[in-house]
Amino acid sequence: TGNPTKLPTGNPTKLPTDNPTIPTSNPTIPPAQPPVKPFCDASSIASFDWDLLMTSGLSKPDVVSFDMSVEDSDLSLNIEVALTYEGRSSADDSGAVYGTTYVLDFEDFDAHADSIAQPGTCQNRDAIDFTGDFDTFWEYPLSPLGDIGTASFLAYPPPGDLWTVSMASDNECGAV
């Protein structure tokens, strides 16, 4: 109509208008290809050697940042940790490589008694994500920005209800 209202009327018409809007002569052209997700070169993803870590304390993953605070309103403890994005690890001078995952918890994790597939009550992971083939627990994405924290790559699994996991947006393959 020649005098449109800002809000819908209480009695709209069921038929289209007699005077439709004419399409523009210069429409916006959609992009030819969808945007490409950032990709990490596999050689640029950090890894470490368990033997060096255990015998000399070398090759330890970096803690990029760490902060703790208490929320006074509900007495909750907030912890923010930025860690190096780790891929594969080596051990035993055998040349074999192993997947790497972080376990954030307020309880000790005994690798001989505890199961990575059975997270504790305070861990950064949920047991429901760890079903199926054990080898899939160690997969990590080469384009982690959108895949971190998903069940597709359980080295960095979906976090529990009280945890979040993400990549630092300014450094795609750096800190988690």
Side-chain angles (χ1 to χ4, degrees):
T1 66
N3 189 13
T5 61
K6 291 183 180 182
L7 299 174
T9 65
N11 189 18
T13 61
K14 294 181 182 180
L15 300 174
T17 181
D18 291 333
N19 191 10
T21 306
I22 299 171
T24 64
S25 60
N26 191 12
T28 305
I29 299 171
Q33 299 178 39
V36 177
K37 240 186 344 186
F39 183 79
C40 295
D41 177 355
S43 65
S44 70
I45 296 175
S47 62
F48 68 98
D49 183 314
W50 279 102
D51 292 326
L52 284 174
L53 181 65
M54 298 306 289
T55 59
S56 64
L58 299 176
S59 188
K60 179 174 60 172
D62 291 330
V63 175
V64 177
S65 66
F66 177 82
D67 185 52
M68 288 178 48
S69 63
V70 174
E71 179 62 43
D72 292 333
S73 64
D74 62 2
L75 297 178
S76 60
L77 176 63
N78 298 308
I79 300 172
E80 290 186 34
V81 182
L83 303 164
T84 305
Y85 181 61
E86 296 285 336
R88 302 272 181 207
S89 306
S90 61
D92 304 328
D93 296 322
S94 66
V97 291
Y98 306 96
T100 306
T101 189
Y102 287 110
V103 175
L104 303 177
D105 199 348
F106 295 102
E107 297 176 15
D108 290 339
F109 183 85
D110 181 345
H112 300 287
D114 295 329
S115 169
I116 195 76
Q118 296 174 341
T121 57
C122 294
Q123 275 191 23
N124 62 314
R125 51 191 68 231
D126 287 328
I128 195 166
D129 296 319
F130 292 87
T131 58
D133 185 17
F134 183 79
D135 290 340
T136 63
F137 296 174
W138 310 106
E139 295 300 318
Y140 62 95
L142 290 178
S143 48
L145 194 57
D147 294 323
I148 271 301
T150 68
S152 300
F153 299 100
L154 291 177
Y156 296 90
D161 293 337
L162 301 175
W163 294 87
T164 57
V165 63
S166 62
M167 292 298 294
S169 60
D170 61 340
N171 192 351
E172 171 64 21
C173 298
V176 178

